[in-house]
Amino acid sequence: MPLLELREITKAFPGVLANDRVSMKLDKGEIVALLGENGAGKSTLMNVVYGLLTADDGEILVDEKHVKIKSPRHAIDLGIGMVHQHFMLVEPLTVTENIVLGREPGRFGVIDFATARQRVREISDRYSLKVDPDAKIIDLSVGMQQRVEILKALYQGARVLILDEPTAVLTPQEVTELFRVVRSLVDEGLSAVFITHKLEEVIAIADRILVMRDGAVVGETTPSATDEIGLARMMVGRDVVLSVEKGVSQCGDVVLSVNDVHIEDDRSLEAVKGVSFAICGGEILAIAGVDGNGQRELVESIVGLRRPTRGTIELKGNDITRANARASIEAGVSHIPEDRQRRGLVLEFNIAENIILGDHREPPAADHGIMHPKAIAELARKRIADYDIRTPSERVLADSLSGGNQQKVVVAREIGRNPELLVAAQPTRGLDVGAIEFVHTQIIRERDSGKAVLLVTFELEEVLSLADRILVIYEGRIVKEFAVADADAETLGYFMTGGGGSKLAEEQESKPVESSVAGGDK
Amino acid sequence: MLGDIITPDLFASAFRMATPLALAAIGGTICERSGVVNIALEGIMLVGAFAGVAVTLAFGSPWLGVVAAVLAGVAIAAIHAFTSINLRSDQVVSGTAINILALGLTGFLMEIMYGHPGTTEAIITIKPVFRFATERGSGTFFGVIWNWFNTIVLSHTPIVYGAIIIAVVAQWAMYNTRWGLHLRALGEHPRAVDTVGVSVVRGRWIAVLMSGALAGLAGANLTLEQVGSFTENMTNGRGFIALAANIFGRWTPVGSYSASLLFGFFDALQIKLQIFRGEINIPPQFFLMMPYVLTVVVLAGVVGRAVGPAAVGKPYKKG
């Protein structure tokens, strides 16, 4: 007997059919994974189930009874709980306050906090989800915050738990812990819908897998009946190259040379403590490191957003140490920033406007301070075609694009400018396989056309598949250099987490490595 | 001379001066905690002050005037609620429009109701709650204590006490009731409130109307307990100082009251010093300026950065 059943759910937004006659069933004690690329309609479907959106057509059955879910309150009353991708937690409030919000125990409007705390403890003991009921949300780690979200759903009496991209914000350890928690909840008789675009996760957690593409269910399978390649094919609708193919690097002249730079972070602490390296044309140099080891400051100083306190940065022999962002662009540096929504795009601008940002003073976009809308639109349409940006028109706001398409806009602008050096920071963060493949292909194409690429990422897979040469950064120093052939995930991970030790770092300091451009070609 | 300035009367005056600020500031606190900026406090206070006087002149009862002031405040606040919650317009623009409207409306009503601009006739003001003899054996130590206590604590009109009670009750309610929890959540993360099935629109409406009632009551205190008549633009920026007091008080009712008391003290001191201006040889404008300088200092964050509710000023759209 299915606990939850959806029949032919259809939901249209202006210009898009987000859900096209989608049907699914969820049994008691089952984990169903809803797999699909960003924009495939997974979240829309679950928002319909949770009462945040109303379906245009179709039926929802809970316990085999027809229901019209009008509001989240109604969904909660039916036993449906949702852990949203962006947490619905009020940061300055306590764990208890957040969990009981909307269903506070007490009389005459006065909250009985002792009872509230007691109930939170009971639930957290019963499902062994330990959390301090009096801690403020803002003081908790992301993993703990998610745990509070799950507790909130349980407190509200959820029998079905919808988890929307729950691993997007978690560290690998937290992901493992989450899987354990979800498993134990299902063992207790709950059911879960797990929304994701990550292939390895569905294989690890799901009992059944529903694959969605362009608003429709395109396949149903089980982890034992498929593998990542098969799932990727279903999800994207064609064969996907999960590993990138690339030829041998043809190293040309030195494009970027960084000499003993020291950079301070926003708190005026030294974040980069004397780093030197060079990149030649036709080479991808990856800087691998755990977040917060100085790579952000390093990137910002190369692209003209931050000034080093010491050292020099040269692009093709020109000193760009003190260049601002504009001078940096004009010198031939392009930058794919790590946060596309805050730094890569102006979300309130349309695609055409975003595509000319940084080049908006120059022909063809403008001359003598006058913009040329026609030429801009034409350029934008060309980029949209060249970079396969999925949009009805160049006048669509960046805000309304999916993450993958937003990143394509950034990539189109930065690569379309034809730079000497491309600095790419976390270029595939949060993207699905199709979009990742696209970005990787573009980066390799840049390299093959003789440009220099600086890739900064903490995704080891990405480092190993894209880079020609790898520098490991730890606590503001380069602690290790690898040719990609000599590196593997384990060794990289070892050095990234300080395995090389400060001893190695000190050696580095006393004897700055003559940055061997030659290390690039092999 | 210092003994002439630092008198019990100075502190009593501080409480009186603080009252309209505090009531409006607590209104601002409640409103902003729900996620709606209310810079219309100034205008609402002015309309409340006028309504109080008009009704008192018409019916002869200042108590009826208080009721009218509160209702008028609620009515004006409803405009702000409708534009900023339902129409999702810019809350600062809406508030500014109401301030201008209040100034014009009260001036206009003066003309048609009383046939002249400026100031209305005097009304019977609301009397202090307690009336004890001011001097009771002033020679003795206990006599002096009694005189101070009597003047500072027991000399006030009802709304002055009411403001203190409102501050304490609002503070308690904000941290112990369902209303308070929902209010605190609303201004931080309205979607979180929505997804647990609590209406954001309803919660914000209630908060805005409450701020209207409190600002209206502040106006009543000004005309019906202090001045005894209405003068055009008599609020004179108090609504804005109240907003500063709300920030200084870190968006809490008791904090707002305390900050208002500080502003009130400076206001009282300013008046007192004007009396002695011949002796201290400082232009009176300097003293007049003091509460406003304090406001600027507070808003510039000299007293430490104050962080308001995260979602304040942002219209909420469902779905």
Side-chain angles (χ1 to χ4, degrees):
Chain A
M1 179 180 123
L3 197 55
L4 173 70
E5 186 178 353
L6 309 180
R7 288 186 191 156
E8 311 235 309
I9 297 289
T10 301
K11 175 74 188 175
F13 292 114
V16 235
L17 194 56
N19 284 157
D20 184 7
R21 282 167 294 149
V22 178
S23 300
M24 72 169 281
K25 278 184 192 172
L26 181 69
D27 285 327
K28 190 168 189 286
E30 188 184 33
I31 303 176
V32 171
L34 213 49
L35 177 72
E37 293 189 273
N38 294 325
K42 304 169 303 234
S43 294
T44 303
L45 185 67
M46 287 303 122
N47 283 336
V48 166
V49 174
Y50 194 61
L52 285 168
L53 296 170
T54 315
D56 302 333
D57 205 4
E59 297 172 334
I60 302 173
L61 289 84
V62 176
D63 296 325
E64 301 193 305
K65 283 197 266 305
H66 284 266
V67 287
K68 283 242 178 294
I69 302 179
K70 293 180 216 80
S71 65
R73 184 85 191 204
H74 190 188
I76 293 166
D77 290 341
L78 290 166
I80 299 166
M82 186 154 175
V83 175
H84 300 264
Q85 184 177 2
H86 303 287
F87 297 152
M88 295 296 161
L89 297 174
V90 186
E91 291 195 329
L93 303 191
T94 66
V95 169
T96 303
E97 286 174 328
N98 269 283
I99 289 175
V100 301
L101 186 67
R103 306 201 143 196
E104 305 85 356
R107 292 203 302 171
F108 312 119
V110 180
I111 301 174
D112 179 354
F113 276 108
T115 305
R117 213 172 281 121
Q118 183 56 32
R119 286 202 201 153
V120 169
R121 264 209 197 95
E122 273 164 29
I123 299 168
S124 85
D125 286 349
R126 179 158 153 221
Y127 297 101
S128 55
L129 288 163
K130 280 209 187 62
V131 62
D132 174 7
D134 296 318
K136 287 206 170 128
I137 298 297
I138 204 164
D139 298 327
L140 299 181
S141 70
V142 174
M144 282 304 266
Q145 292 186 4
Q146 190 174 58
R147 184 173 281 197
V148 175
E149 280 276 54
I150 294 173
L151 283 169
K152 189 164 110 182
L154 296 173
Y155 172 85
Q156 291 165 339
R159 293 176 294 152
V160 176
L161 203 57
I162 301 168
L163 298 141
D164 188 5
E165 304 270 1
T167 59
V169 288
L170 302 183
T171 66
Q173 290 83 347
E174 287 172 332
V175 170
T176 314
E177 177 63 14
L178 172 70
F179 282 8
R180 186 194 66 73
V181 166
V182 173
R183 262 288 148 225
S184 73
L185 291 177
V186 170
D187 290 342
E188 291 272 334
L190 269 79
S191 310
V193 180
F194 201 97
I195 303 177
T196 185
H197 61 252
K198 293 185 183 163
L199 303 168
E200 70 278 7
E201 288 178 1
V202 293
I203 290 181
I205 188 91
D207 296 317
R208 218 145 44 80
I209 303 166
L210 238 55
V211 184
M212 285 186 76
R213 191 197 324 142
D214 297 334
V217 174
V218 292
E220 183 179 339
T221 183
T222 59
S224 51
T226 187
D227 57 14
E228 291 186 22
I229 293 172
L231 282 175
R233 192 186 300 123
M234 277 167 96
M235 188 165 127
V236 185
R238 60 181 162 82
D239 282 322
V240 179
V241 194
L242 290 177
S243 59
V244 202
E245 284 173 36
K246 63 175 173 43
V248 176
S249 158
Q250 302 295 323
C251 209
D253 296 336
V254 172
V255 172
L256 177 76
S257 119
V258 173
N259 310 301
D260 190 32
V261 293
H262 295 250
I263 310 162
E264 287 179 353
D265 65 14
D266 293 336
R267 295 163 300 167
S268 300
L269 301 174
E270 192 160 71
V272 175
K273 302 160 182 167
V275 162
S276 304
F277 61 87
I279 314 175
C280 64
E283 182 190 35
I284 299 176
L285 175 71
I287 293 191
V290 177
D291 210 7
N293 273 287
Q295 53 271 68
R296 174 171 301 146
E297 287 76 14
L298 183 60
V299 164
E300 286 178 352
S301 67
I302 292 169
V303 300
L305 294 171
R306 189 182 286 271
R307 275 191 193 171
T309 46
R310 258 166 62 196
T312 59
I313 301 168
E314 287 173 19
L315 187 79
K316 291 215 145 183
N318 299 319
D319 189 348
I320 57 162
T321 316
R322 310 209 165 274
N324 58 20
R326 178 176 178 177
S328 166
I329 289 169
E330 282 165 359
V333 179
S334 269
H335 176 211
I336 301 174
E338 63 178 299
D339 187 340
R340 60 180 157 270
Q341 299 204 334
R342 288 177 58 193
R343 284 200 154 168
L345 296 167
V346 181
L347 291 177
E348 295 80 8
F349 279 17
N350 67 33
I351 296 173
E353 288 163 336
N354 271 293
I355 276 182
I356 58 149
L357 278 183
D359 305 313
H360 54 277
R361 301 179 195 85
E362 317 286 328
D367 53 349
H368 310 297
I370 311 287
M371 312 280 283
H372 301 312
K374 264 192 194 153
I376 292 169
E378 203 172 299
L379 178 76
R381 280 196 291 269
K382 185 173 182 306
R383 295 275 190 269
I384 286 168
D386 290 351
Y387 291 86
D388 188 31
I389 300 164
R390 308 275 171 84
T391 169
S393 113
E394 77 280 0
R395 287 187 299 272
V396 168
L397 295 189
D399 202 13
S400 61
L401 296 175
S402 70
N405 278 307
Q406 288 181 345
Q407 189 71 338
K408 282 178 182 175
V409 173
V410 176
V411 169
R413 176 182 68 221
E414 298 302 325
I415 293 182
R417 185 183 289 148
N418 194 20
E420 296 296 334
L421 168 72
L422 175 67
V423 180
Q426 313 290 355
T428 58
R429 180 188 267 184
L431 301 187
D432 53 54
V433 277
I436 290 174
E437 184 192 22
F438 175 85
V439 172
H440 283 176
T441 311
Q442 292 300 325
I443 289 175
I444 288 172
R445 188 180 295 169
E446 275 301 284
R447 177 196 80 153
D448 290 346
S449 66
K451 305 297 168 54
V453 179
L454 177 66
L455 173 71
V456 178
T457 178
F458 46 75
E459 299 271 0
L460 291 180
E461 290 284 323
E462 188 159 82
V463 170
L464 291 168
S465 61
L466 280 185
D468 297 308
R469 197 153 54 91
I470 303 164
L471 301 178
V472 179
I473 193 166
Y474 178 72
E475 291 189 346
R477 294 190 177 91
I478 303 294
V479 291
K480 190 70 183 168
E481 175 170 347
F482 291 102
V484 73
D486 306 331
D488 58 61
E490 207 170 303
T491 329
L492 275 180
Y494 175 73
F495 284 103
M496 277 164 69
T497 51
S502 49
K503 188 163 156 262
L504 216 144
E506 276 159 28
E507 253 171 58
Q508 186 85 13
E509 196 175 36
S510 59
K511 176 177 64 99
V513 170
E514 290 302 318
S515 238
S516 49
V517 170
D521 54 8
K522 47 171 201 306
Chain B
M1 191 189 71
L2 198 64
D4 294 330
I5 295 170
I6 310 295
T7 58
D9 188 49
L10 173 70
F11 295 101
S13 170
F15 277 102
R16 284 195 295 274
M17 295 295 176
T19 298
L21 298 179
L23 287 168
I26 295 165
T29 296
I30 291 171
C31 200
E32 295 210 346
R33 279 294 188 128
S34 84
V36 180
V37 174
N38 194 352
I39 64 160
L41 290 172
E42 171 81 5
I44 297 173
M45 208 194 293
L46 189 65
V47 171
F50 178 80
V53 170
V55 167
T56 307
L57 282 173
F59 300 100
S61 159
W63 285 106
L64 223 50
V66 173
V67 174
V70 170
L71 292 180
V74 170
I76 301 289
I79 302 173
H80 188 55
F82 183 71
T83 56
S84 46
I85 302 167
N86 300 76
L87 303 181
R88 293 190 291 272
S89 65
D90 189 294
Q91 297 164 10
V92 172
V93 172
S94 166
T96 306
I98 288 172
N99 285 336
I100 295 167
L101 173 77
L103 207 52
L105 182 72
T106 49
F108 174 69
L109 288 177
M110 282 228 26
E111 284 280 1
I112 60 166
M113 287 169 70
Y114 308 115
H116 61 86
T119 304
T120 62
E121 284 173 49
I123 49 143
I124 318 142
T125 55
I126 297 173
K127 296 287 170 276
V129 181
F130 312 104
R131 251 171 277 179
F132 298 102
T134 43
E135 298 292 318
R136 190 174 284 195
S138 60
T140 67
F141 175 73
F142 287 107
V144 171
I145 295 287
W146 165 255
N147 286 339
W148 277 70
F149 185 77
N150 187 26
T151 310
I152 297 173
V153 181
L154 298 177
S155 69
H156 298 297
T157 46
I159 299 175
V160 176
Y161 296 116
I164 297 171
I165 294 166
I166 287 169
V168 173
V169 170
Q171 180 84 16
W172 176 83
M174 201 174 259
Y175 290 93
N176 289 284
T177 66
R178 229 165 252 166
W179 168 80
L181 179 61
H182 295 177
L183 184 74
R184 284 182 293 141
L186 271 174
E188 292 290 339
H189 197 338
R191 195 164 297 273
V193 178
D194 199 10
T195 54
V196 293
V198 177
S199 168
V200 174
V201 169
R202 205 180 107 104
R204 288 189 168 174
W205 259 92
I206 291 170
V208 176
L209 295 186
M210 285 177 89
S211 80
L214 288 168
L217 188 62
N221 167 262
L222 214 53
T223 47
L224 305 181
E225 289 190 345
Q226 295 195 31
V227 180
S229 64
F230 177 85
T231 305
E232 283 179 66
N233 195 24
M234 69 183 299
T235 46
N236 201 17
R238 281 185 179 81
F240 297 107
I241 295 181
L243 277 179
N246 159 48
I247 294 169
F248 197 9
R250 308 215 166 213
W251 288 270
T252 61
V254 167
S256 285
Y257 190 94
S258 311
S260 299
L261 195 56
L262 185 69
F263 284 119
F265 177 77
F266 272 88
D267 217 3
L269 187 65
Q270 170 266 118
I271 294 167
K272 198 86 170 182
L273 288 174
Q274 283 195 56
I275 301 166
F276 293 94
R277 69 172 183 247
E279 293 166 47
I280 38 187
N281 204 17
I282 297 172
Q285 287 85 354
F286 181 81
F287 301 114
L288 275 171
M289 182 181 80
M290 284 190 341
Y292 302 95
V293 170
L294 187 64
T295 307
V296 171
V297 168
V298 166
L299 291 180
V302 172
V303 290
R305 234 187 94 64
V307 183
V312 75
K314 292 178 194 152
Y316 179 70
K317 197 164 183 273
K318 238 179 140 79

